Amino acid sequence: MDALAVRGPTWAQMYARHAHADRPAVVSASRAWTFRELTRDAAGWAAWLDSAGLPPGRPVAVLLGSSPMAYALLLAGALTGRPLAPLGDRLTASELTACLSPLGAGGLVADEEHAALGRELAARAALACHMLPDTPPAGAGDLDLAGGGDAIALVLHTSGTTGLPKPVRFRMDRLGLRARVYAGLLELRPGDVYSSSQQFHHLGGVGLLMVAMAVGAAVVPPVTRFSADSWAALGELG
């Protein structure tokens, strides 16, 4: 028996409880996206990953800012065996290329903001670079929300303070346990609104985003650079 066996629902099974709720999943100053809309968009992004030729069973390296689009793609990757591996854009191109070598990525995806860096990294690492469209394909069908416990849901890199950043693979069962522990510590419940100052590639960013998604709380995407106005706006978003 696995000494580290985790009892309780996986992250995917936790998310499935809220997947079709008409409760806000992502909120911003301009609009809110419900869990139903986020799940629908994730199904569209899953179809896009298929069309881009990104194979299941291998992580997808990504250069993305925090946004509802990135969150839906995160969900699509986790539930289709193509876990996202967010890269930090504050590292140099040489450092990021070294991160890609042991990752075994099936390809690299970048949004418009990171297009130039994405193309450079893809060329250095001999990977296909895919630019993320503005919207996912529509009418792509349903996602499988089962999520086996040993499936990899996310790959994050260490900070690299003692050498090159190393990839850490988060299994569905352990990510489910992490969500339950952190939700308890933060007293995070369905209907709450959560925000982090950390960006998408950071454990305090995407890592806690996945905690909120699992328990049915809404998320406010962080701004790229802190400002007093953005801090004050959080109060207006609850």
Side-chain angles (χ1 to χ4, degrees):
M1 181 177 176
D2 185 352
L4 296 177
V6 176
R7 296 182 179 180
T10 67
W11 182 87
Q13 290 166 344
M14 292 178 68
Y15 178 82
R17 298 169 180 171
H18 314 283
H20 301 294
D22 290 318
R23 186 174 62 249
V26 186
V27 294
S28 71
S30 60
R31 63 160 289 189
W33 289 258
T34 66
F35 277 92
R36 186 185 301 277
E37 290 173 316
L38 191 69
T39 304
R40 178 204 63 199
D41 286 353
W45 287 123
W48 180 80
L49 290 170
D50 286 336
S51 66
L54 292 162
R58 298 176 67 182
V60 177
V62 296
L63 285 162
L64 301 173
S66 293
S67 69
M69 182 169 64
Y71 301 167
L73 184 66
L74 169 71
L75 183 58
L79 295 175
T80 62
R82 291 169 286 209
L84 298 197
L87 301 174
D89 58 5
R90 295 188 182 183
L91 297 177
T92 66
S94 295
E95 290 170 329
L96 289 172
T97 304
C99 289
L100 287 171
S101 296
L103 188 59
L108 188 148
V109 172
D111 58 18
E112 184 177 356
E113 178 185 356
H114 299 93
L117 178 58
R119 292 189 181 98
E120 180 181 357
L121 289 182
R124 284 170 172 252
L127 288 173
C129 181
H130 306 274
M131 293 296 112
L132 198 65
D134 292 334
T135 57
D142 296 325
L143 282 173
D144 179 6
L145 297 172
D150 59 352
I152 304 300
L154 174 69
V155 182
L156 289 180
H157 284 83
T158 60
S159 60
T161 52
T162 58
L164 289 174
K166 301 171 184 63
V168 179
R169 291 165 171 80
F170 287 77
R171 284 175 35 160
M172 281 283 186
D173 55 356
R174 288 162 173 75
L175 201 56
L177 176 59
R178 185 177 188 276
R180 293 190 291 280
V181 170
Y182 272 82
L185 293 172
L186 296 171
E187 298 183 353
L188 202 58
R189 301 291 183 268
D192 287 345
V193 180
Y194 170 82
S195 184
S196 169
S197 62
Q198 299 291 351
Q199 296 301 308
F200 190 68
H201 68 275
H202 199 281
L203 182 61
V206 69
L208 287 177
L209 159 70
M210 295 190 83
V211 171
M213 292 172 72
V215 301
V219 176
V220 180
V223 294
T224 302
R225 293 288 182 268
F226 173 83
S227 71
D229 287 344
S230 64
W231 178 258
L234 290 177
E236 300 172 7
L237 296 173

